[in-house]
């Protein structure tokens, strides 16, 4: 099997415009997360070389790394769900009929959607509290509500992707994007 990381994936298994549009949105969102991750790597390299060569690291590099990594990781989750690449332990269900496995998969995707919606709700509340109380990071005084706000769209997309995957499992249109 030829597994590759590519934006050129077939969406033929996604029937209808909604599935394809959501897939493209999740893919674009993950690409933005990748840009954030690359920026963090460059910042980290500049900080390391600055620290070793000039005794001048990037001020607050750890804070920026923590916030940026959280935003980037959250951005990858919807595409992971759309492609069906979450970890799946089916050792105990492999012997069950295909239809039972489909409904178990649908239930798992529904649980993922529920978890994403709960996380969206709680992260939104935390963001509002952080904004109201003026919580900031220690060194750079970056308001904590800003990275929380940037995580919210990822959680909403994750919930939407999980609901679509659940629907596709029930209607026997599921597919793991094998590219």
């Amino acid at each position: 099997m030829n597994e590759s990381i590519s934006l050129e994936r077939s969406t033929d298994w996604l029937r209808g415009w909604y599935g394809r549009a959501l897939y493209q949105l999740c893919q674009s969102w993950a690409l933005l997360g990748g840009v954030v991750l690359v920026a963090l790597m460059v910042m980290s390299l500049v900080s390391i070389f600055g620290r070793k060569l000039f005794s001048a690291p990037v001020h607050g590099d750890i804070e920026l790394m923590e916030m940026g990594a959280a935003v980037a990781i959250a951005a990858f989750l919807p595409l992971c769900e759309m492609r069906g690449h979450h970890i799946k332990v089916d050792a105990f269900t492999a012997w069950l009929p295909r239809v039972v496995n489909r409904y178990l998969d649908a239930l798992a995707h529904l649980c993922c959607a529920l978890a994403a919606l709960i996380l969206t709700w709680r992260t939104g509340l935390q963001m509002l509290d952080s904004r109201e109380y003026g919580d900031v990071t220690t060194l750079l005084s970056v308001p904590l509500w800003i990275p929380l706000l940037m995580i919210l769209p990822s959680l909403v997309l994750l919930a939407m992707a999980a609901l679509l995957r659940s629907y596709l499992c029930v209607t026997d249109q599921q597919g793991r994007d094998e590219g």
Side-chain angles (χ1 to χ4, degrees):
M1 180 186 319
N2 184 8
E3 279 290 321
S4 63
I5 299 173
S6 170
L7 294 178
E8 301 299 322
R9 295 281 184 168
S10 169
T11 55
D12 293 341
W13 55 273
L14 288 170
R15 309 231 186 336
W17 66 270
Y18 176 77
R20 286 196 237 310
L22 183 59
Y23 187 90
Q24 291 301 320
L25 183 58
C26 291
Q27 194 165 322
S28 299
W29 198 252
L31 187 59
L32 284 175
V35 169
V36 169
L37 204 55
V38 168
L40 289 173
M41 289 187 298
V42 169
M43 185 263 319
S44 183
L45 284 173
V46 167
S47 185
I48 290 167
F49 284 121
R51 181 177 291 118
K52 295 298 180 188
L53 299 177
F54 310 109
S55 295
V58 173
H59 184 66
D61 58 346
I62 300 301
E63 286 182 357
L64 292 171
M65 187 64 73
E66 289 172 347
M67 291 183 292
V71 170
I73 290 166
F76 299 142
L77 292 175
L79 184 60
C80 184
E81 177 66 17
M82 283 297 290
R83 289 186 176 177
H85 288 290
H86 283 296
I87 293 174
K88 180 178 176 181
V89 181
D90 57 1
F92 300 111
T93 60
W95 57 273
L96 293 173
R98 185 173 177 273
V99 68
V100 173
N101 278 316
R102 275 192 10 240
Y103 281 101
L104 286 174
D105 287 345
L107 179 62
H109 291 298
L110 278 177
C111 288
C112 181
L114 179 62
L117 290 172
I118 290 170
L119 284 171
T120 302
W121 167 53
R122 297 305 301 170
T123 303
L125 290 178
Q126 183 181 3
M127 180 204 63
L128 293 174
D129 283 348
S130 292
R131 186 166 183 209
E132 181 180 341
Y133 294 115
D135 294 338
V136 295
T137 61
T138 306
L139 292 175
L140 299 176
S141 297
V142 175
L144 289 177
W145 66 269
I146 294 173
L148 292 170
L149 177 65
M150 290 193 271
I151 290 172
L152 285 175
S154 299
L155 296 173
V156 171
L157 275 175
L158 175 59
M160 293 169 63
L163 289 172
L164 177 64
R165 291 294 298 199
S166 183
Y167 169 77
L168 293 174
C169 286
V170 169
T171 59
D172 198 19
Q173 298 175 37
Q174 74 180 10
R176 181 171 177 198
D177 185 9
E178 296 294 341

